[in-house]
């Protein structure tokens, strides 16, 4: 009921907006339609996210040793230079790990958060809602969008500034784990190859 009311309100607002400039009016109409579409997607995803959250709250987070199995000593030919398991444990008992590969010029950072437990389930829910929308934006340097990579729903970012490039990929695995890859010196297409090399099978 709430979803229908909100969508109806947005539609009425769109129809009531008058504009003498036809090009501007078409642009505004398109923008409102995009917002209505995303609003509908969020509402539809709400029940699913609530189901996932309820399930995750009752699960036991993985141990540091279990998470370490996901970040091998080498990733797509790059040597692991550091890792930090349990660094977010003070934040509501979050189970997490971060690992960095490469050197000071080009590097890949991998981050994994277990959605099990009260705090973890809340963080995973926020990412799930973001992934449920079809979004795309661009400024002078950065393109951000939700898209699919190898059949996986992802939130991507690709930045090109002068001679430097960077990129990021965020996604959910097994509706439980929030996984992020951040590439310094790597384009988005290059970062995708590292995504394939992660040992996600170690995540139960």
């Amino acid at each position: 009921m709430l979803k229908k009311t909100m969508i109806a309100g947005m539609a009425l607002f769109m129809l009531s907006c008058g504009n003498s400039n036809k090009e501007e009016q078409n642009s505004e109409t398109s923008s409102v339609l995009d917002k209505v579409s995303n609003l509908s997607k969020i509402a539809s995803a709400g029940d699913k996210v609530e189901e996932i959250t309820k399930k995750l709250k009752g699960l036991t987070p993985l141990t540091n040793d279990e998470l370490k199995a996901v970040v091998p000593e080498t990733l797509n030919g790059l040597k692991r230079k550091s890792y930090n398991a349990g660094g977010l444990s003070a934040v509501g008992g979050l189970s997490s790990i971060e690992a960095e590969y490469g050197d000071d010029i080009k590097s890949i950072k991998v981050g994994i958060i277990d959605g099990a437990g009260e705090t973890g389930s809340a963080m995973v829910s926020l990412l799930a809602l973001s992934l449920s929308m079809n979004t795309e934006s661009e400024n002078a340097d950065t393109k951000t969008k939700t898209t699919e990579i190898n059949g996986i729903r992802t939130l991507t970012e690709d930045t090109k500034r002068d001679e430097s490039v960077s990129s990021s990929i965020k996604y959910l695995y097994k509706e439980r784990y929030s996984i992020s890859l951040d590439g310094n010196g790597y384009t988005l297409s290059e970062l995708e190859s590292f995504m394939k090399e992660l040992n996600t099978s170690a995540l139960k």
Side-chain angles (χ1 to χ4, degrees):
M1 184 65 181
L2 177 61
K3 178 180 74 174
K4 292 180 179 179
T5 302
M6 294 177 71
I7 294 175
M10 289 289 289
L12 287 173
F13 173 78
M14 178 187 70
L15 293 173
S16 64
C17 289
N19 193 316
S20 57
N21 188 308
K22 188 173 181 179
E23 183 177 345
E24 290 182 4
Q25 187 174 24
N26 288 338
S27 177
E28 288 180 4
T29 299
S30 177
S31 177
V32 171
L33 285 174
D34 288 341
K35 290 177 181 178
V36 170
S37 177
N38 275 330
L39 179 62
S40 178
K41 285 182 172 62
I42 291 175
S44 298
D47 290 340
K48 179 64 174 178
V49 170
E50 185 177 355
E51 178 185 333
I52 293 172
T53 303
K54 184 177 180 180
K55 178 183 177 182
L56 291 177
K57 284 182 179 180
L59 298 180
T60 301
L62 296 185
T63 64
N64 290 344
D65 285 339
E66 288 174 316
L67 285 174
K68 282 168 60 179
V70 189
V71 287
E73 292 187 2
T74 59
L75 183 66
N76 203 22
L78 293 185
K79 186 177 180 180
R80 188 180 66 198
K81 56 187 293 189
S82 66
Y83 75 87
N84 180 9
L88 297 177
S89 58
V91 185
L94 277 175
S95 177
S96 66
I97 191 168
E98 290 184 340
E100 186 172 0
Y101 298 83
D103 52 41
D104 294 335
I105 300 175
K106 298 179 68 175
S107 62
I108 303 289
K109 288 184 179 180
V110 178
I112 301 170
I113 294 177
D114 187 353
E118 192 77 28
T119 306
S121 62
M123 295 187 69
V124 164
S125 295
L126 289 175
L127 179 56
L129 282 174
S130 297
L131 292 171
S132 71
M133 297 184 289
N134 290 323
T135 60
E136 183 173 354
S137 63
E138 181 177 353
N139 60 30
D141 303 314
T142 303
K143 294 181 180 179
T144 303
K145 68 182 298 185
T146 50
T147 186
E148 287 197 4
I149 299 176
N150 301 322
I152 300 173
R153 186 72 173 169
T154 63
L155 178 61
T156 65
E157 190 172 282
D158 198 9
T159 299
K160 296 178 181 178
R161 184 179 296 112
D162 297 327
E163 299 300 318
S164 66
V165 295
S166 61
S167 56
S168 71
I169 299 173
K170 294 181 177 65
Y171 64 100
L172 288 180
Y173 181 69
K174 290 186 175 180
E175 296 184 338
R176 169 172 174 172
Y177 302 96
S178 169
I179 300 178
S180 64
L181 294 92
D182 294 278
N184 177 36
Y186 292 93
T187 64
L188 182 59
S189 59
E190 291 173 327
L191 192 62
E192 290 178 13
S193 64
F194 290 91
M195 176 181 170
K196 298 175 185 177
E197 296 300 314
L198 284 177
N199 183 27
T200 52
S201 62
L203 297 172
K204 61 184 181 183

